[in-house]
Amino acid sequence: MSSSIFTPVEFPVDFLWGAATAAYQVEGSPLADGAGVSSWHRFVRTPGRVRDGDTGDVACDHYRRWPEDLQWMRRIGLGSYRFSISWSRILPEGRGRVNPAGLAHYERKVDALLEAGIQPNITLYHWDLPAALDDRGGWLNPDIADWFADYASVLFKALGDRVPMWATLNEPWVITDGGFLHGTLAPGHRSAYEAAIAARQLMRAHGRAVQAFRALVPAAPDRRIGLVVNIEPKYPASHGAADLAATARADAYMNRQYLDPALRGTTPAELPEVFGEAWVDWPAEELALAHQPLDFIGINYYTRAVVRDDPAAWPLRASAVRQTQATHTETAWEVYPPGLTDTLLWFKQHYGDLPIYITENGSAFYDPPSVEAPVLDDPLRTDYLRRHLRAVHAAREAGVNVRGYYAWSLLDNLEWALGYSKRFGLLHVNYATQKRTPKATCALYSQVISTRGRCLNDTASAPTDGLP
Ligand code: PNW
């Protein structure tokens, strides 16, 4: 077995190739068919929160245009589509009354995907909380574990007989760091105390949802549930003791804060230092609840960080050193493909051989708002995809159990607080007309799927003549 990135690329026949989206980022029509208001619907209406006052009111109009987008998925050759369900479409008040029209929307989507031979991979929570629950404290209220399990149970009962992959939460770290510590995402709070509380409630909710899944969905190899986390490997800026300690804090805070409870039933030793007086030890029964057997882990990878000690950085006392020689994306993230191989090796070393799916990977680079050509040339994004897929292959060669890859994202979409200014899509979206245009990255991805990655062994550039 070799870990050289020069090993010729060839992925196995059963490697799962997908693309991902999230409800609030693509759907639009947020109140259609009896849906309730969500935390993001409210957040985007709070002045100053989202760049240029952008909202998800229309987005990619995926709520209405999903049949057209499904045709694009078929043309690309996707084996799976990862999307999230909007909680407030299913339960307008967050709990209690089910909205049949909201449920029917996702049932139609799931059935059409299955009909097309594309496996639905459903995320239960990708950041849009029903506003009625936000009003009761949202992720700070201990009752939320029951609310979440009840919501999940509605979906397990309706769709558990046909959906092969489920994830409870998307990126609990981003939810607490953005929503409760730095206030950049809904609900926009800024408190270490709240971040510590929300972390515990998220993992209690995760645990209760997995228990509900086991109770409601008969065990089968193609009925699986997992958790999706974002991982950003941390490298020390120097080998000085202070930088090494800062790197360990950053790694514990971002990478192990949720994986340790979920997969080991522990919390990282560095966290009390990170949270200071806001830290409370997790009670044993909470750790046990968070620690449910999972069928897979989803890893979202975008970049790495080189970390130095920084007493002024609240609350971590660590900050990232910008790598001036490197290429950065439009979201200011360093392009660092070896970090994906390192992440996968790190996961195996810490957590073992649980099946891994890369549930998000992608890049925002500038594209024009409208495109006339049949294909949009996007060489920087194409290079990003090519190198990250090689990095996944290198990890497989080194024995890591990585079973699939999802590009972020199928479509350009609402990049949360950054609005529509950042484009991550395989398909370009002209927001004035809703026209989709494949980017060269999309054509390359399609070729990767049909050749099981063998086309990555050629040095030739991406196909610019469009999808096959
Ligand atoms: C993810 N970080 O967010 C989300 O799952 C997507 O909804 C989002 O569009 C995508 O990545 C691109 O941003 C992240 O700071 C946000 O490390 C922030 C971080 C990571 C992921």
Side-chain angles (χ1 to χ4, degrees):
M1 204 152 33
S2 156
S3 64
S4 165
I5 60 164
F6 300 107
T7 308
V9 175
E10 179 172 331
F11 287 89
V13 180
D14 62 354
F15 193 82
L16 195 59
W17 298 103
T21 63
Y24 192 74
Q25 293 181 275
V26 298
E27 286 181 346
S29 309
L31 303 179
D33 300 331
V37 171
S38 77
S39 58
W40 267 90
H41 187 74
R42 216 152 58 174
F43 193 68
V44 299
R45 285 170 168 68
T46 312
R49 291 304 201 169
V50 176
R51 185 178 294 195
D52 301 329
D54 286 345
T55 75
D57 289 3
V58 178
C60 312
D61 198 22
H62 185 66
Y63 188 78
R64 297 192 302 168
R65 292 175 195 258
W66 66 264
E68 174 195 337
D69 292 333
L70 175 55
Q71 294 312 315
W72 283 110
M73 295 179 219
R74 295 174 73 136
R75 281 186 70 187
I76 298 167
L78 296 186
S80 181
Y81 176 45
R82 173 175 180 249
F83 61 98
S84 77
I85 289 185
S86 165
W87 187 339
S88 52
R89 291 194 196 279
I90 306 299
L91 296 147
E93 290 87 37
R95 50 194 194 131
R97 182 179 61 89
V98 173
N99 173 32
L103 192 53
H105 172 82
Y106 293 108
E107 287 184 298
R108 281 195 296 275
K109 202 184 262 183
V110 162
D111 290 339
L113 285 164
L114 290 170
E115 179 76 21
I118 299 172
Q119 295 186 37
N121 176 343
I122 293 181
T123 299
L124 293 169
Y125 184 73
H126 199 131
W127 310 357
D128 46 348
L129 189 73
L133 300 184
D134 207 19
D135 291 339
R136 295 172 172 267
W139 290 108
L140 303 174
N141 187 330
D143 290 343
I144 199 162
D146 290 330
W147 301 337
F148 186 63
D150 290 348
Y151 155 62
S153 297
V154 171
L155 295 171
F156 297 151
K157 284 176 193 157
L159 295 167
D161 62 339
R162 49 212 142 124
V163 171
M165 280 178 94
W166 298 84
T168 54
L169 308 171
N170 178 70
E171 299 182 345
W173 179 82
V174 178
I175 297 170
T176 57
D177 185 82
F180 294 93
L181 190 74
H182 294 298
T184 52
L185 304 173
H189 301 182
R190 204 178 140 81
S191 157
Y193 291 91
E194 291 192 5
I197 293 167
R200 287 169 52 192
Q201 301 313 330
L202 280 161
M203 291 316 288
R204 289 182 61 241
H206 160 78
R208 292 274 286 103
V210 175
Q211 289 176 336
F213 184 82
R214 302 296 180 212
L216 293 169
V217 179
D222 57 350
R223 298 287 179 268
R224 297 177 296 159
I225 192 159
L227 171 69
V228 172
V229 294
N230 58 294
I231 299 295
E232 187 181 282
K234 307 295 182 185
Y235 303 81
S238 80
H239 288 93
D243 285 349
L244 291 175
T247 305
R249 283 196 301 279
D251 180 53
Y253 174 57
M254 194 162 173
N255 299 329
R256 290 183 276 124
Q257 186 177 179
Y258 298 91
L259 283 180
D260 279 9
L263 300 180
R264 295 172 149 190
T266 61
T267 51
E270 296 86 349
L271 287 187
E273 226 187 313
V274 171
F275 283 95
E277 59 182 13
W279 177 258
V280 177
D281 282 332
W282 294 29
E285 67 271 19
E286 281 184 19
L287 285 168
L289 179 55
H291 187 199
Q292 299 295 319
L294 297 182
D295 303 313
F296 70 91
I297 197 80
I299 292 180
N300 297 349
Y301 175 85
Y302 289 93
T303 190
R304 68 151 170 183
V306 176
V307 179
R308 69 178 174 94
D309 184 53
D310 180 359
W314 174 83
L316 202 53
R317 290 175 293 108
S319 58
V321 181
R322 189 177 158 91
Q323 303 300 295
T324 49
Q325 82 296 347
T327 304
H328 290 76
T329 70
E330 287 271 305
T331 50
W333 291 341
E334 182 192 358
V335 176
Y336 191 71
L340 179 48
T341 310
D342 288 351
T343 290
L344 290 164
L345 291 167
W346 168 89
F347 183 89
K348 179 183 169 71
Q349 190 187 337
H350 278 76
Y351 303 104
D353 289 322
L354 189 65
I356 303 168
Y357 292 84
I358 300 300
T359 34
E360 289 179 22
N361 173 243
S363 54
F365 287 107
Y366 175 79
D367 300 315
S370 65
V371 187
E372 295 311 322
V375 183
L376 172 65
D377 200 23
D378 61 338
L380 294 172
R381 194 180 286 100
T382 302
D383 182 63
Y384 185 101
L385 176 70
R386 188 190 287 285
R387 292 165 67 199
H388 284 81
L389 289 174
R390 287 203 184 116
V392 173
H393 189 261
R396 281 189 55 86
E397 291 290 301
V400 181
N401 191 12
V402 51
R403 305 270 190 94
Y405 174 95
Y406 291 79
W408 182 269
S409 175
L410 177 68
L411 301 159
D412 290 339
N413 60 52
L414 180 83
E415 179 52 27
W416 305 110
L418 298 174
Y420 295 102
S421 68
K422 306 299 171 219
R423 295 177 178 269
F424 279 90
L426 295 172
L427 296 169
H428 177 276
V429 176
N430 179 334
Y431 293 109
T433 60
Q434 290 297 340
K435 183 179 165 218
R436 279 75 163 129
T437 303
K439 303 180 191 177
T441 301
C442 184
L444 172 67
Y445 193 44
S446 182
Q447 205 177 66
V448 163
I449 295 169
S450 64
T451 66
R452 289 194 278 119
R454 285 187 298 246
C455 69
L456 296 168
N457 298 311
D458 308 335
T459 44
S461 55
T464 47
D465 49 347
L467 289 170

